[in-house]
């Protein structure tokens, strides 16, 4: 089992809908959490850091559930431009600050 | 330069040839990383450097070497390229400290094809 797991998708979602996906992590020593967005043939770019209290940035909301060891990303009022692969990443206390990556969830927003 | 610059952006390389992928950052980040990304396998760490003068092996280091002579540069060398090294290569950097909310910054990648 991988340390950080994501449903690879693809999630096919109509424009304007709300979509959510999770990322589970197996090591309870994980301390920092991130969502990255990667467009086709481009580099990953930081979308959001995920804080213990949860955080929101416009249409995007990230949540952390330490008890169940997962983070979630909610996208409201989805746009065609939200189509991308969403990668989650975690830092463990003993990983020397290295990010441990999920393989990504592919999201396709359809008109 | 703003952020991380990788060169070349793409390359077709004959098997057996030596090649160096260049990576330069201007953010004074102490840590730098090389990843390869293959379809369905996600990002896999090749080598990393926590600070200038030190390097370490990642998940898939075989066939690759790195050096970190200064803070800004982190070149990746393929000593004798093989077709299985065909991939997209990303360089990244970060500030290594507790509760760093900024994660990694990535370069735009090098698309390498070994034939």
């Amino acid at each position: 089992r991988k340390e950080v797991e994501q449903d690879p998708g693809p999630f096919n979602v109509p424009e304007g809908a709300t979509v959510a996906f999770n990322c589970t992590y197996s090591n309870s020593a994980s301390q920092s959490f991130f969502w990255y967005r990667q467009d086709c043939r481009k580099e990953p770019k930081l979308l959001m850091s995920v804080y213990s209290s949860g955080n929101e940035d416009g249409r995007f909301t990230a949540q952390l559930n330490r008890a169940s060891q997962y983070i979630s990303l909610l996208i409201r009022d989805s746009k065609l431009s939200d189509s991308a692969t969403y990668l989650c990443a975690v830092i463990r206390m003993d990983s020397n600050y290295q990010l441990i990556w999920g393989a990504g969830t592919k999201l396709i927003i359809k008109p | 330069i703003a952020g991380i610059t990788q060169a070349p952006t793409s390359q077709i390389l004959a098997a057996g040839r030596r090649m160096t992928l260049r990576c330069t950052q201007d953010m004074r980040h102490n840590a730098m990383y090389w990843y390869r990304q293959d379809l369905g396998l996600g990002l896999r760490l090749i080598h990393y450097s926590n600070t200038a003068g030190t390097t370490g092996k990642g998940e898939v280091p075989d066939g690759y070497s790195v050096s970190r002579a200064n803070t800004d540069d982190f070149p990746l060398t393929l000593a004798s390229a093989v077709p299985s090294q065909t991939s997209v290569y990303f360089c990244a950097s970060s500030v290594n400290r507790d509760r760093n909310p900024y994660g990694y910054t990535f370069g735009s990648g090098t698309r390498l094809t070994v034939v």
Side-chain angles (χ1 to χ4, degrees):
Chain A
R1 183 188 174 196
K2 290 187 176 181
E3 184 166 349
V4 179
E5 292 198 278
Q6 297 182 251
D7 184 337
F11 284 50
N12 291 284
V13 176
E15 190 176 9
T18 295
V19 60
F21 28 83
N22 292 340
C23 166
T24 59
Y25 59 95
S26 60
N27 195 312
S28 59
S30 299
Q31 62 176 59
S32 298
F33 307 87
F34 305 89
W35 282 106
Y36 281 75
R37 172 195 169 123
Q38 186 174 24
D39 293 297
C40 188
R41 301 173 73 85
K42 300 283 191 180
E43 74 273 24
K45 292 185 178 178
L46 181 65
L47 180 66
M48 300 176 78
S49 301
V50 186
Y51 303 122
S52 296
S53 56
N55 45 312
E56 185 174 315
D57 183 3
R59 297 181 294 107
F60 296 83
T61 300
Q63 296 281 351
L64 167 63
N65 186 316
R66 284 196 183 273
S68 299
Q69 296 187 187
Y70 72 88
I71 61 173
S72 63
L73 181 67
L74 178 81
I75 306 174
R76 290 180 297 278
D77 187 24
S78 54
K79 312 292 185 188
L80 295 177
S81 58
D82 293 334
S83 296
T85 295
Y86 291 84
L87 306 171
C88 70
V90 307
I91 295 178
R92 291 199 315 265
M93 291 178 68
D94 61 352
S95 70
N96 203 12
Y97 304 108
Q98 288 182 18
L99 283 176
I100 302 165
W101 295 88
T105 295
K106 186 170 184 178
L107 176 64
I108 301 171
I109 306 298
K110 297 191 170 184
Chain B
I1 297 177
I4 296 183
T5 301
Q6 289 185 237
T9 55
S10 66
Q11 182 75 45
I12 299 174
L13 185 67
R17 298 295 296 268
R18 179 185 180 91
M19 168 136 196
T20 295
L21 280 58
R22 300 184 298 278
C23 176
T24 300
Q25 54 109 353
D26 65 352
M27 298 172 286
R28 308 304 292 173
H29 285 175
N30 54 319
M32 297 187 75
Y33 312 88
W34 273 106
Y35 287 91
R36 60 179 289 173
Q37 188 174 38
D38 304 287
L39 195 63
L41 295 178
L43 289 164
R44 293 185 292 169
L45 183 64
I46 304 171
H47 285 285
Y48 65 93
S49 169
N50 288 328
T51 190
T54 70
T55 62
K57 294 181 179 181
E59 180 185 357
V60 289
D62 294 343
Y64 306 95
S65 63
V66 291
S67 61
R68 185 90 183 276
N70 56 60
T71 297
D72 298 344
D73 301 300
F74 192 43
L76 176 73
T77 297
L78 288 68
S80 179
V82 295
S84 61
Q85 292 178 310
T86 294
S87 187
V88 180
Y89 291 85
F90 289 107
C91 180
S93 71
S94 72
V95 176
N96 273 2
R97 64 166 184 262
D98 193 29
R99 306 297 179 194
N100 170 21
Y102 305 109
Y104 289 8
T105 300
F106 283 83
S108 57
T110 294
R111 198 166 298 276
L112 180 66
T113 303
V114 182
V115 297

